[in-house]
Amino acid sequence: MQKFKVLFGFVFLFCFANAQQPQKPNSAEIYNQIQKLNFLGSVLYIAAHPDDENTRLITYLSNDTKARTGYLSLTRGDGGQNLIGSQLRELLGVIRTQELLEARKIDGGEQFFTRANDFGFSKNPEETLQIWDKEKVLSDVIWTIRKFQPDVIINRFDHRTSGNTHGHHSASAQLSFESFKLANDPKIFPEQLKYFETWQPKRQFFNPSWWFYGSQKKFDEADKSNFIKIETGVYYPIFGKSNQEISALSRSRHQSQGFGSTGVRGEETDYLELINGETPKDKSSIFDGIDTSWNRVRDGKPIGELLSSIAAKYDFKNPSASIPDLAKAYTMIQALDEKHWKPIKSEEIKTIIAACSGLYLEAVATNQEATPGSSIKLKLEAINRSEIPMQLLNLTTFPDQKNRIENSVLKNNVLQNISVDLQLPENIEYTQPYWLKEKATEGMYTVSDQKNIGIPESKRDIKVIFNVEINGIEIPFERTVVYKYNDNVKGEMYSNLDVVPEITTSILDKVLLFKNTKTKSVAVKIKAGKDSVKGNLQLELPVNWVVSPKSIPFNLDKKGSEQTFYFEVTPPNFPEEAIAKSVAIVDNKKYDKDQVTIDYSHILKQQVLKTAESKCIRFDLKTNGEKIGYIMGAGDEVPNSLSQMGYKVILLNPEEITPEKIKNLDVVMTGIRAYNVVKALANKQNILFDFVKSGKTMLVQYNMPGDFVTPNIAPYPMKVSGDRVADENAEVRFLAPNHPVLNYPNKITSKDFKGWKQEQGLYYPNEFDKAFTPILSSNDKGETPKNGALLVAPYGKGYYIYTGLSFFRELPEGVSGAYKLLANMISLKN
């Protein structure tokens, strides 16, 4: 997998972006990038979410056409589900952002976003644009167009449709269509013109596929006479891979969505429908009639001629032979009076020069974390692996801007190691996704700095500039400071260098349930960001809540050391919800950040700093002492919530389920999408159904339709559909008001469905055996009632329950009504 990242990750080669392992391109890859250096055309693909993009087309445009290719995803996918872990909402958005960046490293594209928050499924664009701030998202689309300057825009979705797809999809196409002409109007968002000029793309397309026609057969039969036809099933002999194989590798980066793809080979066609701008005469080229040569830049023609000569004379056995001419071309580019292509091509050609010479430059910190005001020890490496004359003139560290004169000759294959200290300022910002620094709304993230809007992640300002003289020409090479270490199994491993608070705190339970006035012990963990940190820890709650002790002293000797303390919390004697906040006080300064680490092998480790708080709920919740076996599915936090409710929870390994293993349990629950992802369940259904028949309860949470590990997920016929209720505030009607599940041990009323988050539920059964009793009915505005949210059926002496209600979202958010209803479902056999 790694070699394919090297193969097509050119766009990010020049900056060692995001602390990935440095790229080391081979001769064929270098040649490909010299060709790309001589193409000055760009295309911007626009859609709504991570995974919406056509990676096959992006791969083709970037690597066959050799165009600068960008993907603008209006959201970061925050509202979706997570197949690899329990992170949801903004944390899932961080994961999917990184997955998109990994995908772009493979297919060669660049990644952009707007401030739009993926608030969950929307059934029409009108609702979407009400919850999003349409004006702000439109502004962000136009900002990206003005900044990227695409010659061509391609929409994934059709701006002419409404209501027959995800509302975000249609909204993305509508905003893109509207932006096509507005981006060139100086009266539209004139404040942007301080940074970039207006821009008019030449043409805009809609990228249809069989999905929009309902079936492949209908798409094959459709009239395509007005479509542009692009043969994307090309084979790259220089790399030994088909375009589709590279595209599949890119698509497979979307692991949190389960989009692993198998590469294919052979002919394949993509179609584009012109919806704006000039009609191309050549129906096989989206750039027909657009000058994509260096002639489009004033005084650029000689550069293009020189680069053509470099490509024609390129020696695959000795890439360094191209360096004298490449250095000359670099000098010519620097002399241009041009603001857009000059910086882009400058970085590209510097990367090629370094690759041709085997020039390796790296800046590594000795620790992965640092605090503001601290001094970082850096180990620098510089080596020239060619006969080309080179000299390391000087080094400049940032952000302290200290210059160090070197004037050392970089001899062929002679390694130079340099140690330097870099001083961080006291006011340097902590490492944090920039869009999470300020308070968001349901539909929009807040980003005050205009220059940050659109970029995929926070810029890392701790870096080193190596000024190297190559063949008599001085060239600056920027390297972001990274952290690396050796893993005994995996070998060389890279990570980001993170700036962290001196102390972080975390309330271990993010929801604290108080079913009565009994005092509860609350655990708070603290972690040192530097050596020798001492102070006092406090747990802040409103006056109606009693906290003891008021303060706990702490003293942590070593950086990274952790300690857990306990506070006794007594709730009021009446129902109330409150926010508990843990605060560490060091030298009269308050620290209230919870350090959340996201660490998966397919993306770079990420740090998110959230306010260290927990939701406390004092309410009348009745439970019975059931013992619950939980089978994890795609990943959720429901077992933690069950423990908070007072149940004894045992996580069951599906492969080890036997009648003996579960006979002492009262309830077996399956996690979200368990029957989509847990293959072992296919052979365990008879055991589980016998468990129910003996007088126990089985509770199955939602699954996606059409992809089950077994067709018999219930003891009676039942068909899971795409029905959902996206409006969390939709009226809930009781179809069986006297049923025990609504009355014991807690009385459920309509008030218990107030305050639900993002949605009521999803993938409800729409056909089910008469043995099932439908309990609830609700629907989104203008739709027919959906009655499959909660189905209960007696089976033998016990009960089988299927629910599409989104408990996996509501419980971690502390929605009290969800806890009460779940307690009733668990207690049903009583």
Side-chain angles (χ1 to χ4, degrees), residues 462-473:
I462 305 176
K463 56 192 176 184
V464 177
I465 303 294
F466 296 79
N467 282 301
V468 183
E469 186 178 88
I470 301 177
N471 213 46
I473 297 173

Side-chain angles (χ1 to χ4, degrees), residues 523-544:
V524 180
K525 183 178 71 176
I526 60 173
K527 178 184 176 183
K530 65 177 184 179
D531 292 340
S532 302
V533 184
K534 63 180 181 179
N536 289 286
L537 180 65
Q538 297 178 353
L539 185 65
E540 298 179 349
L541 270 161
V543 293
N544 292 327

Side-chain angles (χ1 to χ4, degrees), residues 4 173 182 302 334 777:
F4 302 129
L182 294 181
Q334 303 319 297
S777 177

Side-chain angles (χ1 to χ4, degrees), residues 225-514:
S225 58
N226 293 323
F227 287 5
I228 295 289
K229 184 178 180 182
I230 300 179
E231 300 299 336
T232 54
V234 299
Y235 172 66
Y236 302 111
I238 196 171
F239 302 127
K241 295 288 179 291
S242 71
N243 190 72
Q244 303 100 309
E245 288 173 309
I246 300 163
S247 168
L249 292 170
S250 170
R251 188 76 172 170
S252 296
R253 294 293 88 189
H254 295 295
Q255 292 186 17
S256 67
Q257 303 188 70
F259 281 165
S261 299
T262 299
V264 298
R265 290 144 294 279
E267 295 180 346
E268 194 155 6
T269 305
D270 271 270
Y271 294 93
L272 299 174
E273 178 188 358
L274 184 74
I275 56 175
N276 253 323
E278 305 169 356
T279 302
K281 295 179 181 178
D282 181 353
K283 290 297 184 71
S284 65
S285 173
I286 63 173
F287 287 101
D288 180 61
I290 300 172
D291 189 353
T292 58
S293 74
W294 277 91
N295 294 341
R296 75 184 300 171
V297 175
R298 188 169 65 178
D299 300 325
K301 183 178 180 181
I303 299 173
E305 292 172 346
L306 178 56
L307 292 174
S308 295
S309 174
I310 292 171
K313 296 186 298 182
Y314 181 74
D315 186 347
F316 283 84
K317 294 183 179 180
N318 182 22
S320 65
S322 298
I323 290 179
D325 283 342
L326 285 168
K328 180 180 177 182
Y330 171 79
T331 303
M332 295 168 68
I333 293 172
Q334 303 319 297
L336 293 174
D337 182 18
E338 201 270 348
K339 295 179 180 179
H340 180 68
W341 287 107
K342 176 180 175 179
I344 294 169
K345 295 302 179 180
S346 292
E347 295 301 330
E348 290 182 8
I349 197 169
K350 285 197 296 184
T351 302
I352 294 171
I353 291 171
C356 284
S357 63
L359 176 63
Y360 186 88
L361 305 167
E362 187 174 65
V364 176
T366 56
N367 288 293
Q368 194 264 320
E369 295 181 344
T371 54
S374 65
S375 179
I376 305 175
K377 292 189 179 299
L378 303 182
K379 294 180 179 179
L380 311 183
E381 181 179 335
I383 186 170
N384 166 28
R385 291 171 286 183
S386 73
E387 296 292 345
I388 300 297
M390 290 192 195
Q391 186 173 8
L392 178 59
L393 301 177
N394 58 70
L395 306 163
T396 306
T397 55
F398 291 88
D400 61 358
Q401 301 187 48
K402 289 187 177 179
N403 188 54
R404 172 174 169 151
I405 305 300
E406 292 294 326
N407 287 328
S408 56
V409 175
L410 297 179
K411 297 178 181 180
N412 183 14
N413 210 33
V414 177
L415 177 64
Q416 291 202 26
N417 288 315
I418 305 167
S419 296
V420 299
D421 291 332
L422 187 155
Q423 184 66 39
L424 295 182
E426 294 284 353
N427 62 347
I428 190 171
E429 290 190 345
Y430 301 135
T431 302
Q432 169 84 321
Y434 71 87
W435 64 95
L436 299 180
K437 291 180 180 179
E438 302 174 76
K439 187 175 178 60
T441 65
E442 180 188 7
M444 296 295 296
Y445 286 113
T446 302
V447 181
S448 297
D449 188 344
Q450 177 69 42
K451 296 188 294 297
N452 280 339
I453 291 175
I455 65 175
E457 59 180 347
S458 297
K459 296 177 181 177
R460 294 186 177 268
D461 297 324
I462 305 176
K463 56 192 176 184
V464 177
I465 303 294
F466 296 79
N467 282 301
V468 183
E469 186 178 88
I470 301 177
N471 213 46
I473 297 173
E474 183 177 338
I475 303 177
F477 293 90
E478 179 181 306
R479 296 292 182 263
T480 301
V481 175
V482 299
Y483 172 71
K484 74 175 181 180
Y485 62 97
N486 184 73
D487 182 278
N488 290 336
V489 175
K490 300 177 182 178
E492 186 177 57
M493 302 292 292
Y494 279 77
S495 181
N496 294 309
L497 169 65
D498 291 329
V499 179
V500 303
E502 287 83 344
I503 191 85
T504 54
T505 79
S506 176
I507 304 174
L508 297 188
D509 291 312
K510 301 310 176 188
V511 176
L512 295 163
L513 300 182
F514 295 82

